[in-house]
Amino acid sequence: MFRKRLENFSNYTTPQIECLVKADANENLLELPEELKDIIWDTLKNSIPNLCFYPEINSQPLKDALARFYSLKSENFIVGNGSDQIIQLIVQACCEQDDQVFFLYPSFTMYRITAELFDVGFCFFDITSQWEIDVEKVIDKISTNERIKVIFIDTPNNPTGIAWSAENLKAVVEAFPSKLVVIDNAYGEYSDVDYIEFARRYNNAIILKTFSKIGFAGIRCGYGIANENIIENLHKVKPPYNVNVLTQNIAIKVLENFEKLINNIQLIKDERDKMIQELKEYYYVIPSEANFVTVVDENADRIFEYLVANKILVKKFEVGRHKLLRITLGKPQDNDIIIENLIQFKKENA
């Protein structure tokens, strides 16, 4: 009844563990400003009369709001039910069965999962030896494989937080004009590097953004920014009515009132820098430009269990021979609890 591919296929999963401090999913758990809450509440109430209708088929009102926000045209945007959906649309639109996608290792796992789901191959470049990105070696790796049709670059990278410089990214985009370079900028609000010019300048680049990392993971809304030809072709494989009317209306209000989120974003950045400073005496901490901090430690399994015993949930990764703990920044008091427990573990196991 089902495809043979699904017999050993594993989709994206998250553990359900009871906790008091949740720091595993890279959500922004800070309280929204009261004024923004009121705006969203009014928006939801005003949306009720329209719930009997399908949403605009391609999220045109939201695309118009994005165009105003970025000073682009609405034709430069595609909106998805999370940026995961746009990743899927890209693979569908660009890849035949014998083609491949490229990404870094480690990287956002949905690149691999999506490729496997559509019987597309994949290859990667390992950054674990120095936790740095050697752009010349990345270009060499891609150059040796003509089957690569899509290059996924998450910057800042998940799960490390490493961000690409605009100069290095430019080198990759210009080296492969016939391949689509996907600049996954989900954590861009927490980084000082701005990539929007790539969407304006290049015909082979698309930038992915999301509302999930700035306090709105629950509305499931992501979008792509690119030239009109890329967007037009992605729309050919996009299902109709893919983003519900409540999500669209909330996202529009977030864009129109984005300045009300600036303090929250800055607080997360400040908390990130504080956590890195306090942990680096005890752990190898990867420099991060995202809303999380990642430590590399051979005792990550024991540390994870220690934290769970204390009702703290972080994300654990096994990356080759390395073990990582990715810690989402949250409320300052919760961050302090995490720091205290991580340091206490080291002191107890010195």
Side-chain angles (χ1 to χ4, degrees):
M1 181 183 295
F2 298 103
R3 294 169 55 200
K4 188 172 180 61
R5 161 71 70 180
L6 298 182
E7 289 181 4
N8 299 307
F9 180 78
S10 296
N11 208 333
Y12 188 91
T13 60
T14 57
Q16 301 300 309
I17 299 175
E18 181 182 350
C19 60
L20 297 176
V21 178
K22 187 178 188 299
D24 67 317
N26 294 346
E27 302 140 322
N28 184 327
L29 301 182
L30 298 181
E31 192 82 13
L32 292 175
E34 290 299 323
E35 187 178 0
L36 184 54
K37 285 185 188 178
D38 292 339
I39 291 170
I40 292 172
W41 181 240
D42 289 340
T43 298
L44 292 174
K45 288 189 292 185
N46 293 335
S47 300
I48 292 175
N50 293 321
L51 293 181
C52 58
F53 300 109
Y54 285 108
E56 206 287 323
I57 192 166
N58 288 324
S59 306
Q60 190 61 45
L62 177 50
K63 290 171 65 174
D64 292 340
L66 286 163
R68 292 190 296 271
F69 187 80
Y70 286 100
S71 299
L72 291 167
K73 296 183 293 184
S74 64
E75 291 81 5
N76 294 123
F77 296 90
I78 185 168
V79 182
N81 189 344
S83 55
D84 296 355
Q85 185 177 47
I86 302 177
I87 292 169
Q88 179 173 318
L89 299 179
I90 288 168
V91 174
Q92 285 180 280
C94 296
C95 296
E96 306 287 356
Q97 191 167 346
D98 291 332
D99 292 334
Q100 292 190 355
V101 302
F102 172 90
F103 46 82
L104 300 181
Y105 178 75
S107 207
F108 183 37
T109 189
M110 287 307 298
Y111 309 145
R112 176 189 58 79
I113 288 174
T114 305
E116 289 182 338
L117 187 61
F118 288 98
D119 295 315
V120 171
F122 62 87
C123 59
F124 56 83
F125 180 82
D126 191 329
I127 65 169
T128 62
S129 60
Q130 300 291 329
W131 300 109
E132 293 178 351
I133 299 167
D134 187 323
V135 67
E136 292 184 2
K137 290 183 179 179
V138 168
I139 291 173
D140 288 344
K141 175 88 172 183
I142 299 170
S143 298
T144 61
N145 189 344
E146 293 183 358
R147 294 170 61 192
I148 294 171
K149 293 296 188 294
V150 179
I151 301 166
F152 285 105
I153 296 176
D154 51 349
T155 175
N157 169 268
N158 176 18
T160 67
I162 298 170
W164 284 59
S165 70
E167 180 181 359
N168 283 346
L169 194 54
K170 175 184 175 183
V172 173
V173 173
E174 293 186 349
F176 304 104
S178 63
K179 303 182 190 297
L180 183 62
V181 180
V182 182
I183 304 165
D184 190 344
N185 196 220
Y187 303 93
E189 284 76 15
Y190 303 97
S191 172
D192 294 330
V193 187
D194 184 3
Y195 305 103
I196 192 65
E197 201 57 40
F198 284 83
R200 294 190 177 101
R201 181 174 178 184
Y202 294 103
N203 294 326
N204 64 322
I206 180 169
I207 301 171
L208 303 189
K209 302 283 289 183
T210 179
F211 290 87
S212 295
K213 311 308 177 186
I214 56 173
F216 295 90
I219 70 172
R220 300 303 297 132
C221 188
Y223 54 96
I225 315 171
N227 70 58
E228 296 175 31
N229 180 58
I230 292 174
I231 298 300
E232 180 182 352
N233 278 282
L234 293 181
H235 271 108
K236 291 177 181 178
V237 296
K238 183 189 74 64
Y241 314 116
N242 59 315
V243 180
N244 73 74
V245 68
L246 299 179
T247 287
Q248 289 189 46
N249 290 344
I250 291 172
I252 289 168
K253 291 303 177 183
V254 171
L255 292 170
E256 292 175 348
N257 296 274
F258 192 81
E259 75 283 354
K260 296 178 175 61
L261 294 172
I262 296 299
N263 288 341
N264 271 7
I265 291 169
Q266 186 59 51
L267 178 57
I268 292 295
K269 293 169 72 173
D270 293 342
E271 287 291 302
R272 176 190 68 201
D273 296 343
K274 182 187 77 173
M275 182 176 285
I276 290 172
Q277 282 298 117
E278 297 199 24
L279 291 182
K280 67 181 184 181
E281 180 181 346
Y282 302 91
Y283 294 88
Y284 180 81
V285 185
I286 302 174
S288 172
E289 292 193 41
N291 68 336
F292 56 83
V293 171
T294 297
V295 301
V296 183
D297 196 287
E298 60 184 7
N299 295 311
D301 292 326
R302 291 175 57 206
I303 299 168
F304 180 83
E305 295 302 328
Y306 180 88
L307 294 175
V308 168
N310 287 283
K311 304 295 184 182
I312 300 167
L313 183 59
V314 300
K315 183 77 169 181
K316 181 177 63 171
F317 294 85
E318 289 193 17
V319 182
R321 60 185 178 86
H322 300 282
K323 295 185 177 182
L324 281 60
L325 294 174
R326 190 193 67 196
I327 307 151
T328 304
L329 280 307
K331 298 175 183 178
Q333 59 269 32
D334 289 341
N335 299 332
D336 289 341
I337 291 171
I338 295 170
I339 292 169
E340 290 169 8
N341 276 268
L342 286 171
I343 293 175
Q344 186 61 32
F345 175 88
K346 285 295 185 179
K347 289 181 177 178
E348 291 177 6
N349 293 274

